[in-house]
Amino acid sequence: MAKNYISYLHFVLFFIFFTLISSKASAQCAGDDNVNELICDIANPIYQSVNLFSLLGGSPVPGGTWTDDNNLRGLDTATGILNAQVIRAGGTYQYTYTAPVTSGCTDNKAVVTITIGAYAGVGSQATVCNDEGTFNLFTAFDSKVMGPHTNGRFTYITGEPVENPIKIGNLKTKTTFRFVYTVPAVLACSPDDKSTNLEVTVLIAPKEGKATDLILCGTTDLAGYTDLDLNDQLDGEDSGGTWTGIGITSLTDHNINLQELFDTNGPGEYAYTYKVLAIPDNNICPDKEATVKITLEKRLDFTGSKIEVSKDICESEIATATYSAKITQGPDGIPNGTYDATFSVVGPGVSGFENVRGNFVNGEFNFPIRSSYFKQVGQYTITVTRIVSTSSKGKCVNIFSPFSTILTIYPLPLLTNATLTSLPICQNDAATIQVTAPQLLDGTYRITYNINGDNLALGETAQMQSVGGKATFTIPGNLSTRSGLSVINIYSITNITNPSPQCTNIANVAGNLNINPLPNALTVIAKVNDYCLNAPVTVAVSGLGTLTNASISYVLSDSNTSAVQTIAKAVANGKLDFVIPAELLLNTGTTKITLLNLTNTVTNCDVDLINVTDDFIINPIPSAPIVADQKFCKVDEAVIANLEPKGSQYKWYNSATATKPLAIDYVLKTEDYFVRETSPQGCTSEPAKISVVINDTPAPEMTEAADFCGLANPKISDLSNKTNVSSTVSWYDAVDGNLLSSTTLLVHNAIYYGYDLNAVTGCLSENYKEVKVSLQDCEVAQYEFFVPDGFSPNGDGVNDSFVIKDIEFLYPNYTLEIYNRYGNGMYKGDNSKPAWDGKNYEKSGIAGGVAPNGVYFYVLHFNKDNKPPQQGRLYLNR
């Protein structure tokens, strides 16, 4: 609560204070007029920025504006800053301040008064050149300080008045003047006038003289100007100057050869400058120059110049056409520049002339021609009668002869009462259309036409030459792709006899064109089979559609070649065939026939055939096979398939004229056979004859029994020795089995098959001898017999069994019994079980137990020749 009260108190006090202040400001818001402010030392730099607002009395409100009551310079009306040095005279001046509108004052203006003392400036010495003509004495003051007030007066040092600026142009020698400048006093600052002294020295400038220019015709007038003295072209100049310009070669040179100048540089304006230097101690006056201009004109030669007018038009363009002309220089070039030309126009219903001004640019002068000259069909002659350069001084007489061109307005072409006729054509053939047009002038024309009917084409164009009212044009074959009736209508014609213009007129001329159909090339097929050499070759052509008569052209290529051949035949059911002449097929190999063209011989419409080809082969006749007489063994049971040469291409016959070949399994006999070779292509050779002989050999016979003693290791050779053909017999282990070598050991009770081999024919006997061999036919007395007395069945591979060697051959029916020392049987053996391995086979059957080391007893029954049994003992040691 206390805090709110204090805030309220502050607000009330502030309101009372602001109200009092505002009331006082409203009464004196512009401030009070000042007491006169004296500025007696105006040259002081501080007076370049005088703050008028600070000179007001009272409490002026800032933000107002200032007014210069004297309409002088130097016041910034927004800021009240005054540059007093800008005021150019001493005196008293007033400035009014107006307070801002927002101040609410009724008296819102106050005046500041200042008084500026007289100021005569600071005099100095000046040096000028008399060629300036006059001199402003105010420019002779010291420029480093403020300039003088301008309300003073100038006098000579003697007091004689001086008119400023002073005149110095007529001075002939260097002259020095002394002046006094005095400004009236401003009493508030000083009762005395203010003055300062000036000194002005005038220097004399050099004289360049007055130049006289020269104008000549360079082509004809320079014979007397081969040594022109340029000094003669000046008047009133100082001597001792120098010339510069084309042809001046030194500082003292003042002569030029104008003929040489023209020949080298051509026509133009040539400037030569004469320069006179100021005297050495005169650094104020500039050097002086005078320029002599020498103009050398060229005589213009318009020989060979020509004019072109753009452009020829058609009758229909008369109302809207505009025209322009171009003049082109001849061999002698025409300089660029502005020229006046005069030309005339003469033609149907018109004759007049006209002047034009234009520019020659790079040898061309272009200008317009009024269209009012050209209002009718016909030819107009435009003739140039004069050309003059506007810059010419008239010193040269140009070479000029009038030259002309012709502008033509062409009539429109007419096809009134014209007719179109044509002969029938074939599909895709170009058609020649005859145009009869009595009103069509001779010339070359382009027509535009439409095709309607069975063919449709719009906006097609063609060209035709009209002579005596008759012309022809060609319709290309691609516009006649359909057979039937086409209606040709010409609706536009353009005269193209001239490159330009090509006048066009509308037309409406129609005629009919009949188009016969082409044979259908897409369905044509040619088929040729392969043939043997010299056989007639037939070509079958199909796909000929509804044709009734046709001709076909073809060529052969590859192994046999030919020129184009043509045949003509009737067509039946879309087919025809023909035989290729034999003289065209003299070579074997692949030949290609290509059908090139098919013609309907009724309408003569033809079509080229694309890719209608067939490859066929002319196969060679094989040579008669090379053969030799052949022999076979009867045992081999040879058949036709065994004859040489072999192969499915060979066929065998039993006579030279037989046509049915023998079967391949036909069993050969001793007789003659004939073979023909048939190529893979089916071509058959002449027959070749061979004679066949079948040889046979009888089977071998045994001369004695096939009994042997195995102890003698009998061989196959021993068996052969018991036959009647021991040197040629061959033994096999089976019928159709393995051939056994002569060193093969014989096997007891084995059966062997013997064949005899004829040494002459090399044939085995067809029949064989079957023999069973025995190896037990041994004489005991001839062989040593031994019963071993011990063995060691320990599995070391040495003497592991009790075996009586060779007993199976000597005593094949033997038996063997073995007992232990107690008389118990241990083993019984015979030819089928000859070896005891040391086991007890008698105690409890086979493998009943292992016999221990020790002495055992045997009983050997020989069972041969009544020989008594043999007993003995043997020792078993493991």
Side-chain angles (χ1 to χ4, degrees):
M1 185 70 177
K3 183 177 181 180
N4 292 337
Y5 174 78
I6 292 172
S7 297
Y8 174 75
L9 181 61
H10 285 168
F11 173 77
V12 171
L13 292 174
F14 176 77
F15 177 78
I16 294 171
F17 174 79
F18 182 78
T19 302
L20 293 174
I21 294 301
S22 298
S23 297
K24 183 177 180 180
S26 298
Q28 298 177 344
C29 57
D32 298 330
D33 295 346
N34 77 320
V35 178
N36 186 17
E37 181 75 16
L38 294 178
I39 301 176
C40 295
D41 55 343
I42 188 62
N44 192 325
I46 65 173
Y47 296 115
Q48 293 178 359
S49 179
V50 179
N51 189 342
L52 299 181
F53 189 82
S54 65
L55 301 179
L56 290 171
S59 301
V61 176
T65 59
W66 288 87
T67 304
D68 183 352
D69 297 346
N70 312 285
N71 293 323
L72 299 176
R73 298 178 299 166
L75 175 65
D76 186 332
T77 59
T79 64
I81 300 300
L82 173 67
N83 184 351
Q85 291 185 352
V86 175
I87 299 173
R88 306 312 297 165
T92 299
Y93 305 96
Q94 292 182 334
Y95 299 89
T96 299
Y97 176 69
T98 302
V101 176
T102 56
S103 63
C105 294
T106 55
D107 181 8
N108 62 348
K109 295 182 183 296
V111 176
V112 171
T113 301
I114 64 173
T115 296
I116 298 174
Y119 179 65
V122 178
S124 69
Q125 294 179 341
T127 302
V128 297
C129 189
N130 72 327
D131 64 349
E132 296 182 9
T134 61
F135 178 70
N136 186 345
L137 294 177
F138 280 112
T139 62
F141 288 86
D142 189 349
S143 60
K144 297 182 179 61
V145 298
M146 174 182 169
H149 286 163
T150 59
N151 60 333
R153 66 184 182 281
F154 289 98
T155 62
Y156 288 108
I157 196 69
T158 60
E160 180 183 355
V162 176
E163 183 179 353
N164 186 43
I166 63 174
K167 295 180 180 181
I168 60 176
N170 294 325
L171 296 177
K172 302 299 181 181
T173 60
K174 176 180 177 182
T175 305
T176 298
F177 299 95
R178 293 176 177 80
F179 303 97
V180 177
Y181 180 65
T182 303
V183 294
V186 176
L187 297 181
C189 287
S190 172
D192 300 322
D193 294 341
K194 299 294 184 179
S195 63
T196 188
N197 295 329
L198 303 173
E199 182 177 287
V200 177
T201 300
V202 180
L203 301 178
I204 306 304
K207 295 180 180 180
E208 72 275 23
K210 182 178 181 182
T212 300
D213 295 336
L214 188 62
I215 301 174
L216 299 169
C217 179
T219 309
T220 59
D221 298 345
L222 299 183
Y225 292 91
T226 58
D227 190 25
L228 175 66
D229 189 344
L230 292 174
N231 289 336
D232 294 340
Q233 302 302 119
L234 292 178
D235 182 33
E237 78 278 11
D238 289 344
S239 62
T242 59
W243 287 92
T244 57
I246 298 176
I248 298 298
T249 59
S250 69
L251 295 177
T252 60
D253 189 10
H254 51 85
N255 293 83
I256 57 173
N257 185 336
L258 294 187
Q259 183 67 62
E260 183 180 279
L261 176 67
F262 182 78
D263 293 342
T264 303
N265 300 282
E269 182 179 87
Y270 298 91
Y272 291 87
T273 301
Y274 180 73
K275 184 175 184 179
V276 185
L277 302 179
I279 59 176
D281 63 346
N282 183 351
N283 58 359
I284 299 299
C285 294
D287 298 338
K288 291 294 186 176
E289 294 180 348
T291 298
V292 174
K293 296 180 181 179
I294 299 177
T295 301
L296 302 181
E297 293 191 330
K298 176 185 176 181
R299 182 179 64 184
L300 301 182
D301 187 352
F302 289 93
T303 302
S305 297
K306 59 183 179 179
I307 180 173
E308 299 176 11
V309 177
S310 178
K311 61 184 173 159
D312 293 349
I313 65 168
C314 299
E315 179 182 1
S316 57
E317 301 174 82
I318 291 177
T320 59
T322 59
Y323 304 90
S324 63
K326 178 174 70 175
I327 296 173
T328 305
Q329 66 186 14
D332 194 0
I334 304 301
N336 290 348
T338 303
Y339 292 78
D340 287 330
T342 302
F343 68 93
S344 65
V345 179
V346 177
V350 65
S351 177
F353 69 91
E354 187 173 341
N355 295 318
V356 292
R357 173 167 289 184
N359 295 316
F360 254 108
V361 178
N362 298 326
E364 295 182 354
F365 179 90
N366 294 279
F367 61 93
I369 301 180
R370 289 183 287 115
S371 59
S372 58
Y373 290 119
F374 312 104
K375 294 300 182 182
Q376 299 180 37
V377 170
Q379 291 187 333
Y380 296 82
T381 301
I382 295 91
T383 303
V384 179
T385 59
R386 183 182 71 97
I387 302 177
V388 177
S389 172
T390 58
S391 63
S392 173
K393 308 300 183 181
K395 290 296 183 177
C396 293
V397 178
N398 295 331
I399 300 174
F400 180 87
S401 296
F403 49 92
S404 304
T405 189
I406 294 177
L407 181 143
T408 303
I409 299 178
Y410 292 94
L412 297 180
L414 296 176
L415 285 181
T416 306
N417 299 323
T419 60
L420 302 182
T421 56
S422 64
L423 296 175
I425 63 168
C426 299
Q427 274 180 278
N428 301 324
D429 282 351
T432 299
I433 308 299
Q434 177 73 45
V435 180
T436 302
Q439 298 185 44
L440 189 63
L441 301 177
D442 291 354
T444 305
Y445 295 88
R446 181 177 60 248
I447 59 170
T448 307
Y449 62 92
N450 293 333
I451 300 177
N452 294 288
D454 290 309
N455 289 283
L456 179 63
L458 303 177
E460 298 296 327
T461 61
Q463 185 171 313
M464 65 182 188
Q465 186 75 33
S466 175
V467 177
K470 294 184 179 298
T472 60
F473 69 93
T474 300
I475 295 178
N478 65 313
L479 301 182
S480 303
T481 58
R482 295 184 179 181
S483 60
L485 179 64
S486 291
V487 178
I488 315 302
N489 179 260
I490 299 175
Y491 66 86
S492 174
I493 181 170
T494 300
N495 187 336
I496 60 172
T497 303
N498 301 304
S500 177
Q502 297 182 347
C503 300
T504 300
N505 198 6
I506 60 174
N508 186 14
V509 183
N512 294 334
L513 173 63
N514 290 306
I515 303 173
N516 291 317
L518 296 178
N520 187 353
L522 299 178
T523 60
V524 177
I525 299 173
K527 181 65 178 175
V528 185
N529 294 325
D530 296 340
Y531 290 90
C532 296
L533 184 65
N534 301 326
V537 177
T538 299
V539 181
V541 181
S542 60
L544 300 179
T546 60
L547 296 181
T548 58
N549 288 278
S551 68
I552 295 176
S553 61
Y554 68 92
V555 293
L556 301 178
S557 58
D558 296 340
S559 294
N560 292 284
T561 61
S562 73
V564 177
Q565 307 291 313
T566 302
I567 61 98
K569 294 192 69 175
V571 179
N573 298 319
K575 299 178 181 179
L576 66 79
D577 57 52
F578 61 92
V579 175
I580 299 175
E583 61 270 19
L584 300 180
L585 300 172
L586 300 179
N587 302 315
T588 60
T590 300
T591 298
K592 180 189 289 292
I593 184 171
T594 302
L595 303 192
L596 302 175
N597 184 271
L598 171 63
T599 301
N600 182 341
T601 55
V602 176
T603 63
N604 287 325
C605 292
D606 71 301
V607 63
D608 289 334
L609 301 175
I610 306 299
N611 293 327
V612 181
T613 65
D614 195 26
D615 292 336
F616 62 94
I617 300 174
I618 301 299
N619 296 303
I621 303 298
S623 300
I626 298 174
V627 296
D629 293 341
Q630 300 176 44
K631 295 179 180 181
F632 296 92
C633 297
K634 186 177 180 181
V635 67
D636 295 332
E637 296 181 344
V639 296
I640 289 294
N642 297 116
L643 291 174
E644 295 289 346
K646 290 183 174 64
S648 60
Q649 69 269 36
Y650 299 104
K651 303 297 180 184
W652 294 89
Y653 304 85
N654 54 12
S655 74
T657 58
T659 57
K660 182 178 180 180
L662 298 173
I664 61 173
D665 58 354
Y666 176 84
V667 179
L668 298 178
K669 304 174 185 178
T670 300
E671 60 181 345
D672 293 335
Y673 295 92
F674 300 86
V675 61
R676 296 176 185 269
E677 180 180 353
T678 301
S679 67
Q681 297 76 26
C683 299
T684 304
S685 70
E686 292 296 316
K689 175 186 173 183
I690 67 169
S691 295
V692 173
V693 176
I694 305 299
N695 294 310
D696 192 17
T697 301
E701 294 295 334
M702 297 299 296
T703 58
E704 56 182 299
D707 294 331
F708 301 90
C709 179
L711 296 177
N713 295 320
K715 306 177 185 63
I716 287 295
S717 60
D718 296 319
L719 181 60
S720 297
N721 289 333
K722 292 187 177 187
T723 68
N724 62 334
V725 285
S726 59
S727 62
T728 57
V729 66
S730 298
W731 296 96
Y732 294 82
D733 59 4
V735 177
D736 297 328
N738 298 310
L739 176 66
L740 302 174
S741 70
S742 62
T743 60
T744 302
L745 295 176
L746 298 177
V747 178
H748 180 64
N749 286 336
I751 298 176
Y752 298 91
Y753 302 87
Y755 295 85
D756 186 21
L757 176 64
N758 189 298
V760 177
T761 64
C763 292
L764 285 174
S765 58
E766 181 180 17
N767 298 317
Y768 57 85
K769 182 65 176 180
E770 181 178 322
V771 178
K772 184 175 183 179
V773 172
S774 172
L775 300 183
Q776 297 177 345
D777 186 18
C778 297
E779 291 294 334
V780 175
Q782 297 180 3
Y783 300 97
E784 181 182 355
F785 180 73
F786 171 75
V787 177
D789 59 0
F791 72 107
S792 56
N794 56 10
D796 64 356
V798 179
N799 203 23
D800 284 336
S801 299
F802 178 75
V803 177
I804 301 173
K805 184 180 179 183
D806 299 332
I807 192 170
E808 69 271 20
F809 298 113
L810 297 174
Y811 303 101
N813 296 319
Y814 80 94
T815 60
L816 176 66
E817 298 172 358
I818 296 177
Y819 301 91
N820 63 15
R821 63 183 177 172
Y822 302 109
N824 296 322
M826 300 294 291
Y827 171 77
K828 287 184 177 181
D830 56 18
N831 204 3
S832 63
K833 193 170 85 172
W836 181 45
D837 60 2
K839 295 181 180 179
N840 186 355
Y841 289 96
E842 294 297 320
K843 181 178 181 181
S844 57
I846 297 174
V850 176
N853 292 344
V855 177
Y856 292 85
F857 301 91
Y858 68 86
V859 178
L860 175 61
H861 300 274
F862 293 102
N863 297 325
K864 181 180 178 180
D865 298 335
N866 295 318
K867 185 175 182 176
Q870 178 180 326
Q871 297 181 356
R873 67 179 182 179
L874 62 94
Y875 183 73
L876 186 155
N877 183 22
R878 296 185 184 279

